[in-house]
């Protein structure tokens, strides 16, 4: 070109360089291309105006999605949008690869992007070459997608900040991998180091507590929320001369500093440093940006989880009571294991309350507020305080629960419509213990009955009178039941989580727990651990982590043992004879407790050798109790006792009432509806009798386990004389 001649048009210059010009306005949805750009797109070489659909049909589908992502990234960072795209022919085959460079802008008023850029054909580099390392090929894209999928899964599964950092350090990016990583946080107006990898311990010292206003890339990223890419040491030194000496000693060649942003807030910065030069193409920036976003979300989740665990730990430890000083003649053990959902805080609790007066009496409380959330835990804490206050005032068990129910009803039934939609109730068992006599007085509000492990290992459920759960009826009554804990016997109180965890219902769960109770040998603390481990595995007073996540419900467990063998006490009492006993009162107004008596007797005889004798004993007990309720106005007291060694045992069952009317044997006809009680006793029992008392009477019978040498079970006949009273007639 000669001097003085006019310059050629821009289109002519670009065409001579095989470069096309294009313009895209997303508001109109039109793409304007010059002749060279049209040729590169596989269209006739003439200027054209295309729709987005027409343009998209010429590009590989994956590349079109890549373009939209790069545009948003470039606008956010204020940089050029550069991307390689594959041009397809009408048969869907790739005919060429072009590079697109553009300067995008965003108009908030129109909510549209506008781009003016160039298209230029490029030659795909061979795999394995330095150029091939950063080339955008189909294999590279697939590798990148697989990498991001794996990275996202690994970061999502990280449970703590330490695990997130370990996952980030192990990420191997396709085509380029950092030699050093660092995660910066923000505290006030200073940077902090959350973690780093690829540097020696102590190398982070100059960067700790660095002011955000410092001329340092990570500080700028936190201030502006925009990424900083430094492709060479010269670029780093020119842009950040004051802090370049801090980075120079690490011997890196390229750096990427990206914001860690969650919900529009920059919470820190992530540095990826490379031991070789990196150009940071749009594709590489896209990968780094995606990883930074996933890393920010993972760190946020991990931080929230760690805060939750810290809050849970403090909340639980503040709510869990201490069992207090040692109780003379008693051993006590307790466990609490929270559920794995939410904050791992629930409504289960236990407590031990010293009672006023002499004698060392105390109360044991166990309960469960409905729900496994913070509200349940809050209600539980208030209810526990109320129970302690009522007990400290000296009220009896029934009065304590009546007042607690009225208090809890007031907590949960308010005028607040939000609270009305979330009404709660609580189950509770309150037990007053006299350590001198072993007498227990129980009041129950919809909770599980206590279980007692006898000295010989037999486990029985002790039925107790009860009322509605707390908070349902403010005027509910809670009758008391008196129990006796003999030396060497252990009492178990628990919430339903101990029984129902692992897919069990109350029946199957109880059978599982009962086997553990009967088979255990050792002290009370070991028994508590055995019960929890038998349900879940290793445990402690407070369990968190993966084990806690497997639980369906909270567990509260209390064990009380009276001085004797098997309690883990230092002063065991002398060995007692092999005796197991159960007692039960059946009131005139409670005929349904006859069924409870039958169940108690079967549990007492669970290992009796002769099943037919068990059936006979259950039948006779039903007859004796029914006879008292039908023919007298008194309540009936059942006492069942088994003595002796296995194979040589004797069963004695006695029913006592306060009526002076003695039973008489009758000869009922075939159609008679009554009168067969004594006839059955005479036929089925080895010995039986009626004994007058100072007030009332008792009727008893005995059965002997098959195999007792010389006993009635071996050679005697039913109906022979017993210890007191004559067979067949009233004594």
């Amino acid at each position: 070109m000669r001097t003085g001649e006019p310059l050629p048009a821009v289109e002519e210059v670009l065409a001579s360089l095989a470069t096309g010009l294009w313009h895209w306005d997303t508001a109109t949805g039109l793409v304007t291309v010059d002749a060279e750009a049209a040729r590169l797109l596989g269209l006739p070489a003439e200027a054209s105006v295309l729709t987005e659909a027409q343009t998209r049909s010429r590009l590989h589908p994956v590349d079109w999605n890549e373009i939209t992502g790069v545009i948003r990234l470039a606008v956010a960072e204020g940089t050029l949008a550069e991307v390689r795209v594959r041009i397809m022919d009408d048969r869907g085959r790739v005919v060429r690869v072009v590079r697109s460079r553009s300067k995008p802008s965003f108009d908030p008023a129109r909510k549209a992007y506008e781009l003016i850029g160039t298209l230029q054909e490029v030659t795909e580099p061979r795999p394995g070459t330095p150029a091939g390392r950063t080339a955008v090929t189909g294999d590279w894209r697939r590798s990148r997608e697989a990498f991001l999928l794996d990275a996202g899964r690994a970061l999502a599964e990280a449970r703590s900040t330490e695990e997130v950092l370990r996952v980030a350090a192990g990420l191997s990016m396709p085509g380029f991998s950092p030699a050093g990583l660092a995660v910066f946080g923000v505290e006030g107006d200073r940077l902090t180091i959350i973690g780093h990898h690829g540097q020696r311990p102590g190398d982070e010292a100059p960067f700790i507590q660095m002011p955000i206003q410092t001329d340092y890339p990570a500080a700028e990223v936190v201030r502006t929320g925009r990424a900083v890419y430094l492709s060479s040491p010269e670029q780093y030194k020119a842009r950040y001369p004051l802090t370049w000496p801090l980075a120079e000693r690490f011997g890196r060649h390229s750096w990427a500093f990206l914001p860690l942003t969650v919900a529009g807030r920059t919470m820190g910065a992530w540095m990826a440093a490379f031991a070789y030069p990196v150009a940071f193409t749009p594709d590489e920036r896209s990968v780094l940006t995606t990883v930074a976003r996933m890393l920010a979300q993972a760190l946020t989740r991990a931080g929230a989880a760690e805060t939750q665990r810290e809050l849970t730990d403090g909340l639980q430890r503040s709510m869990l009571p201490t069992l207090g000083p040692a109780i003379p003649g008693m051993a006590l053990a307790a466990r609490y294991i929270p559920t794995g959902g939410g904050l791992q805080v629930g409504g289960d609790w236990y407590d031990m309350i010293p009672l006023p007066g002499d004698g060392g009496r105390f109360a044991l409380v166990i309960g469960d507020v409905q729900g496994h959330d913070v509200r349940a835990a809050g209600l539980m804490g208030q209810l526990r305080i109320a129970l302690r206050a009522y007990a400290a005032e000296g009220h009896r068990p029934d009065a304590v629960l009546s007042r607690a129910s009225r208090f809890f009803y007031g907590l949960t039934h308010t005028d607040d419509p939000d609270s009305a939609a979330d009404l709660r109730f609580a189950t509770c068992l309150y037990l007053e213990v006299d350590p001198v006599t072993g007498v227990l007085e129980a009041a129950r509000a919809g909770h599980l009955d206590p279980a007692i492990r006898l000295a010989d290992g037999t486990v029985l459920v002790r039925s107790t009178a009860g009322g509605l759960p707390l908070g349902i009826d403010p005027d509910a009554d809670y009758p008391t039941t008196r129990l006796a804990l003999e030396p060497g016997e252990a009492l178990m109180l628990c919430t339903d989580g101990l029984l129902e965890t692992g897919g069990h219902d109350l029946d199957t769960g109880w059978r599982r727990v009962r086997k553990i109770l009967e088979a255990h040998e050792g002290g009370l603390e070991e028994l508590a651990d055995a019960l929890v481990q038998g349900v879940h595995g290793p445990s402690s007073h407070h369990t968190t982590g993966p084990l806690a996540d497997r639980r369906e419900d909270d567990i509260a467990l209390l064990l009380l043992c009276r001085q004797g063998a098997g309690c883990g006490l230092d002063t065991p009492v002398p060995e007692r004879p092999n005796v197991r006993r159960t007692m039960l009162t059946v009131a005139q107004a409670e005929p349904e407790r006859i069924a409870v008596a039958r169940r108690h007797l079967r549990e007492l005889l669970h290992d009796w050798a002769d099943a037919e004798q068990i059936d006979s004993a259950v039948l006779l007990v039903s007859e004796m109790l029914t006879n008292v309720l039908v023919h007298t106005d008194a309540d009936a007291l059942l006492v069942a006792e088994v003595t002796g060694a296995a194979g040589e045992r004797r069963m004695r069952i006695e029913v006592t009432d306060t009526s002076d009317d003695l039973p008489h044997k009758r000869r009922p006809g075939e159609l008679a509806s009554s009168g067969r009680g004594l006839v059955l006793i005479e036929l089925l029992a080895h010995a039986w009798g009626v004994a007058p008392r100072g007030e009332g009477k008792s009727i008893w019978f005995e059965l002997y386990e098959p195999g007792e040498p010389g006993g009635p079970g071996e050679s005697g006949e039913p109906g022979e004389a017993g210890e007191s009273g004559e067979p067949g007639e009233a004594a």
Side-chain angles (χ1 to χ4, degrees):
M1 184 175 63
R2 297 177 182 177
T3 303
E5 292 184 358
L7 292 173
V10 174
E11 290 82 356
E12 296 178 8
V13 175
L14 293 176
S16 65
L17 299 174
T19 301
L21 188 65
W22 59 274
H23 173 264
W24 179 18
D25 187 346
T26 61
T28 61
L30 299 177
V31 179
T32 303
V33 295
D34 65 3
E36 183 62 19
R39 183 189 70 80
L40 292 174
L41 290 175
L43 299 172
E46 56 186 28
S48 307
V49 177
L50 309 174
T51 64
E52 288 183 3
Q54 290 174 319
T55 306
R56 186 171 185 173
S57 67
R58 312 304 302 177
L59 309 182
H60 193 285
V62 174
D63 297 350
W64 176 265
N65 295 331
E66 182 72 18
I67 290 173
T68 57
V70 170
I71 290 172
R72 295 190 185 95
L73 181 64
V75 170
E77 297 180 351
T79 59
L80 290 176
E82 181 177 345
V83 63
R84 288 181 175 87
V85 293
R86 289 163 288 182
I87 307 301
M88 314 292 291
D89 61 12
D90 295 336
R91 298 182 180 180
R93 296 175 300 182
V94 177
V95 295
R96 65 175 57 88
V97 176
V98 300
R99 178 191 292 114
S100 168
R101 286 193 178 97
S102 63
K103 177 64 176 178
S105 61
F106 180 73
D107 186 350
R110 298 193 305 157
K111 295 182 179 181
Y113 292 93
E114 185 174 4
L115 300 91
I116 299 176
T118 61
L119 288 181
Q120 186 176 32
E121 187 171 2
V122 296
T123 302
E124 286 290 87
R126 297 189 307 275
T129 63
R133 186 178 63 229
T134 57
V136 183
T137 64
D139 291 340
W140 190 93
R141 293 178 188 276
R142 287 189 290 272
S143 298
R144 184 192 65 182
E145 292 167 359
F147 160 75
L148 292 177
L149 182 62
D150 292 340
R153 184 184 299 111
L155 289 171
E157 293 174 353
R159 298 169 53 86
S160 65
T161 300
E162 183 179 358
E163 290 183 20
V164 171
L165 295 175
R166 187 164 55 248
V167 170
L171 295 178
S172 179
M173 301 182 190
F176 68 110
S177 295
L181 300 172
V183 177
F184 298 86
V186 182
E187 287 185 2
D189 60 349
R190 293 182 177 273
L191 288 179
T192 62
I193 300 291
I194 298 176
H196 63 90
H197 175 73
Q199 290 78 228
R200 294 184 303 242
D203 284 347
E204 74 278 6
F207 304 93
I208 295 177
Q209 297 298 315
M210 178 183 287
I212 292 181
Q213 299 304 320
T214 303
D215 187 28
Y216 180 65
E220 180 178 325
V221 168
V222 171
R223 292 196 306 268
T224 64
R226 294 193 297 270
V228 172
Y229 298 99
L230 304 170
S231 299
S232 65
E234 292 76 20
Q235 189 177 359
Y236 195 128
K237 183 178 181 179
R239 188 166 175 181
Y240 303 97
L242 295 179
T243 54
W244 163 245
L246 298 177
E248 183 180 12
R249 60 193 181 93
F250 293 102
R252 313 297 190 200
H253 289 79
S254 297
W255 299 260
F257 292 84
L258 297 106
L260 298 176
T261 305
V262 176
R265 182 179 66 88
T266 301
M267 54 173 285
W270 175 48
M271 181 201 75
F274 299 85
Y276 53 84
V278 178
F280 296 118
T281 65
D283 298 282
E284 292 169 341
R285 296 188 183 193
S286 177
V287 171
L288 291 169
T289 301
T290 303
V291 172
R293 290 171 181 169
M294 293 190 296
L295 182 60
Q297 294 171 357
L299 288 171
T300 301
R301 287 193 301 268
E306 289 170 348
T307 302
Q308 282 187 350
R309 284 194 288 272
E310 184 177 351
L311 173 62
T312 298
D313 186 76
L315 182 60
Q316 289 174 345
R317 293 188 184 279
S318 66
M319 289 183 172
L320 289 180
T322 58
L323 296 181
I327 305 164
M330 292 280 185
L332 190 62
R335 297 291 184 271
Y336 174 70
I337 301 94
T339 183
L343 281 177
Q344 298 183 359
V345 176
D348 289 25
W349 89 97
Y350 67 83
D351 207 349
M352 174 187 172
I353 308 171
L355 298 178
D358 299 330
R361 293 182 311 112
F362 62 93
L364 294 179
V365 187
I366 195 164
D368 182 3
V369 175
Q370 179 190 14
H372 308 100
D373 50 18
V374 175
R375 175 168 165 78
L379 290 173
M380 176 268 286
Q382 296 177 79
L383 180 57
R384 177 182 162 222
I385 293 172
L387 284 164
R388 292 184 69 90
Y390 297 140
E393 291 175 355
H395 296 295
R396 303 296 297 167
D398 55 342
V400 170
L401 287 193
S402 294
R403 285 166 168 76
S405 183
R406 192 173 300 113
F407 170 80
F408 198 69
Y409 184 90
L411 283 180
T412 56
H413 291 70
T414 66
D415 295 333
D416 185 357
D418 295 333
S419 298
D422 187 25
L423 296 180
R424 306 290 181 103
F425 62 83
T427 66
C428 182
L429 179 63
Y430 182 94
L431 201 69
E432 189 175 300
V433 182
D434 186 342
V436 177
T437 63
V439 172
L440 316 173
E441 290 195 42
R444 186 170 57 87
H447 201 78
L448 299 174
D449 282 310
I452 291 182
R453 182 179 186 265
L454 304 182
D456 69 344
T458 303
V459 179
L460 303 175
V461 175
R462 294 295 197 191
S463 294
T464 57
L468 293 171
L470 305 178
I472 293 180
D473 181 1
D475 299 319
D477 292 327
Y478 298 95
T480 60
T481 302
R482 176 169 291 189
L483 306 172
L485 198 62
E486 300 292 338
E489 294 182 346
L491 175 82
M492 184 189 79
L493 309 178
C494 69
T495 55
D496 53 7
L498 184 68
L499 306 183
E500 294 182 326
T501 298
H504 287 268
D505 57 26
L506 289 177
D507 290 334
T508 60
W510 164 244
R511 288 196 291 270
R512 174 180 58 175
V513 168
R514 179 176 180 170
K515 290 179 181 178
I516 299 172
L517 287 168
E518 291 181 337
H520 180 73
E521 295 181 1
L524 211 61
E525 290 290 340
E526 291 78 9
L527 176 57
D529 287 334
L531 286 168
V532 174
Q533 292 172 12
V535 175
H536 292 302
S539 171
S540 66
H541 283 73
H542 172 65
T543 300
T544 58
L547 174 63
D549 292 342
R550 297 197 300 268
R551 300 193 173 91
E552 296 93 348
D553 200 359
D554 306 334
I555 292 176
L557 171 67
L558 270 175
L559 295 174
L560 175 70
C561 189
R562 194 176 177 195
Q563 184 178 15
C567 285
L569 298 177
D570 296 332
T571 56
V573 297
E575 287 296 325
R576 292 167 48 85
N578 290 330
V579 178
R580 66 174 71 160
R581 180 186 299 109
T582 186
M583 302 172 61
L584 183 69
T585 299
V586 179
Q588 284 284 331
E590 297 178 320
E592 66 276 3
R593 285 178 67 82
I594 294 177
V596 176
R598 290 195 294 264
R599 189 180 76 244
H600 271 218
L601 187 57
R602 288 193 180 276
E603 290 180 349
L604 190 74
L605 303 174
H606 69 95
D607 58 349
W608 193 265
D610 190 339
E612 292 186 0
Q613 285 186 336
I614 298 176
D615 293 337
S616 297
V618 171
L619 173 61
L620 296 183
V621 164
S622 295
E623 288 289 338
M624 293 161 66
L625 293 174
T626 302
N627 184 69
V628 172
L629 297 187
V630 172
H631 297 292
T632 73
D633 295 328
D635 298 338
L637 173 64
L638 167 68
V639 179
E641 184 177 85
V642 176
T643 59
E648 302 177 354
R649 290 177 291 189
R650 177 179 305 217
M651 175 201 322
R652 181 182 175 90
I653 298 175
E654 184 175 350
V655 174
T656 303
D657 63 78
T658 58
S659 173
D660 294 327
D661 296 331
L662 299 179
H664 296 280
K665 185 170 64 175
R666 294 183 288 169
R667 303 295 180 186
E670 292 183 2
L671 300 179
S673 59
S674 64
R676 294 184 175 85
L678 294 184
V679 174
L680 289 173
I681 293 177
E682 185 178 53
L683 289 174
L684 299 176
H686 290 113
W688 67 278
V690 179
R693 299 295 178 93
E695 181 180 353
K697 64 181 181 301
S698 67
I699 180 170
W700 58 270
F701 70 86
E702 292 181 350
L703 290 173
Y704 310 114
E705 194 171 23
E708 181 178 359
E714 182 175 294
S715 59
E717 296 295 332
E720 291 185 359
E723 296 176 357
S724 59
E726 298 299 324
E729 298 293 342

